[in-house]
Amino acid sequence: MEKSKVDPRILRTRRLLIDSFMKVVQLKDFKDITIKDITDEATVNRATFYAHFVDKYDLQDAVLSENILKNIQEKLNCHDQLDEESITKIFLSVTEFQNDLRTQCKKSYESFSTMIENKIKKELETIFHSLLLKQDLKIEKEALKIGAVMLSWGIYGACVDWHHNSSLPAEKYIKMAMPYLLNAMTYR
């Protein structure tokens, strides 16, 4: 079955709205951003905005999803198993993503930090679950799902701890944590 093509104009307009949102969020706190702010920056009308997104929260969700997925998946494109290298790359990509977001969205970061946290943990869970499934472990699927949840929350928690409480470079932080992670991941 042939995949239907999306009109390039739709893709360009969506990208224009996303880019405009990213510019506006650098200048205003998220709670103060209006659809008019976004459409004025994008030089499109409200109807065009609503043809692509339900509201500013839907746009925010799209921005976070696309950026998180792109950032993490680019770094993991050659990994098909969960090991020290893939865990390190995941940790570093999440810390880099959060640093970039904090820098780009200084005024709004705290406003949507809970949404960012939930999004990152959900994406990490999906990635970890996929990597665990590829390892063909003799463990029931529910246990793999639980393991993926634990890993996603643990890595996210480590990223937050690193940001708030550590003076170590991210690479050294994860290297020090690795023996504990690998020991916990030993399947019996």
Side-chain angles (χ1 to χ4, degrees):
M1 192 181 259
E2 195 174 311
K3 209 174 186 180
S4 63
K5 282 192 162 190
V6 177
D7 186 332
R9 293 172 295 180
I10 292 172
L11 296 175
R12 277 193 303 272
T13 303
R14 181 178 169 83
R15 174 56 37 207
L16 176 64
L17 288 166
I18 287 171
D19 291 345
S20 296
F21 174 79
M22 291 303 294
K23 287 179 185 171
V24 172
V25 87
Q26 291 176 23
L27 305 172
K28 294 178 98 172
D29 193 349
F30 179 76
K31 67 180 175 41
D32 298 327
I33 294 173
T34 64
I35 301 302
K36 183 172 178 9
D37 294 330
I38 299 164
T39 57
D40 284 353
E41 180 64 36
T43 63
V44 298
N45 61 36
R46 292 176 70 80
T48 300
F49 176 90
Y50 289 114
H52 293 271
F53 300 101
V54 174
D55 54 21
K56 71 179 185 178
Y57 299 96
D58 186 32
L59 174 55
Q60 176 191 33
D61 185 58
V63 167
L64 292 174
S65 293
E66 288 177 18
N67 286 335
I68 292 169
L69 277 174
K70 186 177 87 178
N71 189 302
I72 294 173
Q73 287 177 342
E74 281 176 359
K75 291 188 172 52
L76 287 177
N77 62 358
C78 62
H79 292 278
D80 59 353
Q81 67 178 15
L82 193 55
D83 57 16
E84 186 171 344
E85 186 180 0
S86 61
I87 291 170
T88 299
K89 286 191 176 200
I90 290 169
F91 178 82
L92 295 175
S93 67
V94 172
T95 57
E96 180 184 322
F97 172 77
Q98 287 192 300
N99 282 339
D100 289 348
L101 206 54
R102 276 187 189 95
T103 303
Q104 291 174 3
C105 307
K106 287 178 187 169
K107 293 185 181 272
S108 295
Y109 186 82
E110 292 305 318
S111 296
F112 52 82
S113 62
T114 302
M115 183 177 188
I116 293 167
E117 176 182 345
N118 292 334
K119 205 65 154 148
I120 290 173
K121 287 191 294 195
K122 196 67 182 157
E123 295 302 330
L124 289 177
E125 179 186 332
T126 301
I127 290 166
F128 284 130
H129 189 247
S130 172
L131 290 171
L132 287 169
L133 285 173
K134 288 179 183 177
Q135 288 184 231
D136 196 30
L137 302 168
K138 304 300 183 221
I139 299 175
E140 62 181 89
K141 293 201 185 296
E142 186 66 20
L144 290 178
K145 181 103 171 87
I146 292 168
V149 169
M150 298 294 289
L151 285 167
S152 68
W153 284 57
I155 290 292
Y156 184 80
C159 291
V160 171
D161 180 64
W162 170 79
H163 177 73
H164 292 293
N165 303 316
S166 182
S167 59
L168 297 172
E171 295 82 1
K172 188 165 185 174
Y173 182 99
I174 193 62
K175 186 174 176 97
M176 290 177 74
M178 197 59 66
Y180 302 103
L181 284 167
L182 295 176
N183 189 37
M185 288 176 29
T186 304
Y187 308 105
R188 300 184 195 329

